[in-house]
Amino acid sequence: MRRCITAAVGIVLLFAASIAASDVSEPNAMLSSTHEAVTATPTPSTTPSTPEVQTLAGSKADYPGRLRVYVVEPTSRWDAADGRPYHEAFFSWAIDQDINIPDGEILTLSSTWNSYDEGFYSILETNIAAVAALFDDAYTTENAYPYPGYNYPFRAHAVDATARAAAGEIGQNEVTGTYTHTVFVEEATATWCGYCPDVRDWLGALHRNAGYNFEFVALVDDSCDFAAYRLSSNTINGLNVGAFPTCYVDGGTELVVGAAGQSAIASALNAAGSRAVPDLDMLIKTEYIATNTIQVTVAIGNGVPANTAPGTPSIVSGVTEAVEGTEYDFEALSIDPEANTMEYRFDFSDGTITDWIGPFADGENGLASHAWSTTGTTYVRVLARDFWGIETTWSVPYAVEVIPSTCCRGDSRGNVDGSLDFQVTMSDLTVLIDHLFISLSPLDCVDEGNLDGDILGEVTMSDLTVLIDHLFISLNPLPPCQ
C-alpha cells in the first residue's frame, strides 16, 4: 500500500519572524519532519523573496509543458490538527505527463482513476473531484526557495492554466477581472502542524470569494505518500518543502510561508493572477463511471478554443406520414468541429421531449422512436450537445402527418394487410390465408378480418369465404367498419 506514511523523526517547531504579517501576532513556520532542523533564525527584517517571473505575453508558439491532474477529496478523510477535515485533499494524479501542444491545435487526454488501484479505500461520487494544472516546461526560477534564508531550493515551473471539475461536472480555465488565468495553489501541510488549520481556513474563505480566481489542493505530507513525494527533494520536480504550512502559488512563482495571514495569501493570488500567460484554453470533465472509479478528460487549446459549438442538427431519416399508434424511428445528425461524441434530445410536439440520448460517435446518427396518439400535422425537432456540454439550437421542424389507424378505419372491413389506402385486394386475401393455414401469424387488426359478422369476433374459414366471394364471385360489398 502506497497510501500513507508516518513521520518517524522528531517534530521541530520554529518561530520564524521572517514570515511575519500584519494579521498574525506571532507568525511561525513548522519544519517538515523529513528535513533537517534549522538552528538559526532569520532577522526580523527578512521577508520571503518573490522569484523573478518570465512572462510569455500571449505567445502562440508550440507549448511544451507538464500536465498534472490532481484527484482530490473535497471534504477530506484526513483531519488537520484542530480535528476538522482538510479541503481538497490530494490523493494522486490521474494524469502526470509531459506534453507538447503545437500552435493552433487542441490536445485532448483522458485517463481512468480507481481509488483501490492507487492505495486508497472507497470514494463517494458526491465527494471526488479533479484539478488540472498545466506547468510551463521552462522553469521561471531555477533556485527558488520555499523557506527563504535556508537551503531548500527548488525549480519553480509556472502554472499557466488550471481547471477543476467534481464528478458529473465540467470546468474551465477562466479569465476574470484582473486574472489572466485560473491560479493554482499547492498547500503544503501536515496533520501535526498546529498552524496549518489557519491556512486551510483562509484558502477556503478566499475560494468562496468570487473576486479570487483560483483552485487549490492540500498536500497532506504525513497522510499521503504521493503528497510527500511532491513535497520532497528526491525528484527534479519536487517542491523541497522547508516549512509547514507553505502555499506554492502557480508552481512557486509566488510563495506564502507559514501562517502569514489571509491577506498575504490574497496578495500572492493577485500577483500570480496578473501574470502574463500564453494563450491557452483548458477544459476538464470528471465522470464517475463505476464504483470507486472516475474518468477524467482534459482538452487544451493553444491559441484556439479547447472546444467550439457543434452545428445545428437536422432530421436525416424519418417518415413524413405516420399511422396513429404506430412507433417510428427518427434519426438526427450534428457535425462537431472537434469530432467529439454527441448526444441528442428529440421533441415530438405532443408534450414528449426525450432525455439526452447517446453518446453517439462523431458522424453517427442519433436515434429515437415515437408513436403519436392523435391525428393531424405534427413536427419533430432535435437538439444536440457535444461531449463538453455545449448545446445547439433546435433544428428546423420536420413535418409529419399522422393519419388514423388502419384498424377498421376505412369504409368497410377486409383491409387485413394494413394498407394506408384502406383498399381490399389480393394482398388481403394472401394475408388471411397465411393467418389461417400457413404461418398462423396473428392479424394486426382482428376487426378487419371478421367479415361474416361473428358476434365473438373470431376469424375463421367463414370469413375467408366472404372475402373470396367479394373479390371473385358476387363482388358483394363487405360489411362496414363499426
Side-chain angles (χ1 to χ4, degrees), residues 7 36-37 70 77 119 124 179 204-205 225 248 253-254 256 265 289 302 306 334 369 387 420 426 431 435 453 482:
E36 180 181 349
Y70 297 69
R77 63 194 62 194
L124 298 176
Y179 282 66
D225 63 347
Y248 295 81
T253 59
E254 300 287 337
V256 181
I265 299 174
I289 60 173
N302 180 16
S334 171
S369 300
F387 176 82
L420 297 180
M426 275 291 294
V431 171
H435 165 69
Q482 295 177 347

Side-chain angles (χ1 to χ4, degrees), residues 250-265:
D250 266 358
T253 59
E254 300 287 337
L255 291 163
V256 181
V257 185
Q262 183 171 315
S263 62
I265 299 174

